[in-house]
């Protein structure tokens, strides 16, 4: 399935061709800070299935709870977060769903870092939840 999207100013355009993409929701404090929201919903896609038109800036976030670096890509003009690449999954892009044109068919498969979830956020779907890095503390 092809999905398209863009940042607020249109300088970064994304095309995703991945039938296996899944929606992940991250509740870690760093994703909250980057998104300016209570959590960050990402479409997890194989990096080779993501085409980018434009030149996003990158911030290497090494001050993470897991101690692993997260490469955070964003538009240098409007500031829209675009996607992240995490050290434990270097071949996966986690695309912010706010950039995507169509998301009505997406449902979260996993909620991560739920220990830092805002108290008012209710997780009503089934699916996996974890408090920390999935390699460290699944539940």
């Amino acid at each position: 399935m092809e999905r398209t999207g863009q940042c607020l100013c249109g300088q970064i355009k994304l095309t995703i061709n991945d039938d296996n993409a899944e929606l992940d929701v991250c509740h870690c404090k760093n994703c909250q800070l980057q998104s300016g929201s209570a959590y960050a919903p990402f479409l997890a896609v194989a990096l080779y299935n993501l085409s980018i038109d434009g030149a996003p800036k990158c911030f290497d976030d090494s001050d993470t709870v897991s101690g692993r670096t997260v490469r955070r890509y964003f538009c240098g003009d409007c500031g829209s977060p675009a996607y992240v690449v995490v050290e434990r999954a270097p071949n996966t892009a986690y695309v912010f769903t706010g950039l995507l044109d169509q998301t009505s068919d997406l449902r979260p498969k996993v909620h991560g870092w739920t220990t830092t979830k805002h108290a008012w956020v209710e997780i009503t779907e089934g699916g996996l939840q974890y408090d920390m890095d999935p390699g460290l503390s699944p539940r």
Side-chain angles (χ1 to χ4, degrees):
M1 166 181 237
E2 181 177 282
R3 293 181 192 272
T4 58
Q6 66 179 27
C7 67
L8 182 61
C9 71
Q11 294 299 309
I12 305 294
K13 293 182 174 40
L14 306 170
T15 302
I16 298 167
N17 285 297
D18 192 339
D19 292 334
N20 298 314
E22 294 185 344
L23 180 62
D24 293 347
V25 180
C26 186
H27 297 272
C28 83
K29 188 63 180 171
N30 289 29
C31 281
Q32 291 172 10
L33 288 169
Q34 183 182 20
S35 68
S37 186
Y39 51 83
F42 298 111
L43 193 62
V45 302
L47 200 52
Y48 59 83
N49 288 330
L50 173 64
S51 299
I52 302 163
D53 182 18
K57 287 191 167 190
C58 181
F59 170 68
D60 284 339
D61 181 6
S62 59
D63 188 17
T64 62
V65 174
S66 70
R68 295 180 177 149
T69 299
V70 176
R71 296 185 57 87
R72 298 180 180 277
Y73 293 88
F74 61 97
C75 178
D77 292 323
C78 68
S80 294
Y83 63 99
V84 302
V85 177
V86 298
E87 190 176 301
R88 69 172 169 73
N91 297 317
T92 302
Y94 295 88
V95 178
F96 281 84
T97 60
L99 274 67
L100 301 177
D101 297 325
Q102 199 286 97
T103 58
S104 63
D105 62 320
L106 298 175
R107 298 291 177 270
K109 298 287 184 188
V110 66
H111 286 266
W113 299 97
T114 55
T115 55
T116 48
K117 177 181 74 63
H118 286 238
W120 54 265
V121 173
E122 292 185 34
I123 299 173
T124 57
E125 309 89 18
L128 180 66
Q129 295 181 43
Y130 63 88
D131 295 333
M132 296 179 64
D133 186 295
L136 301 176
S137 176
R139 76 168 148 133

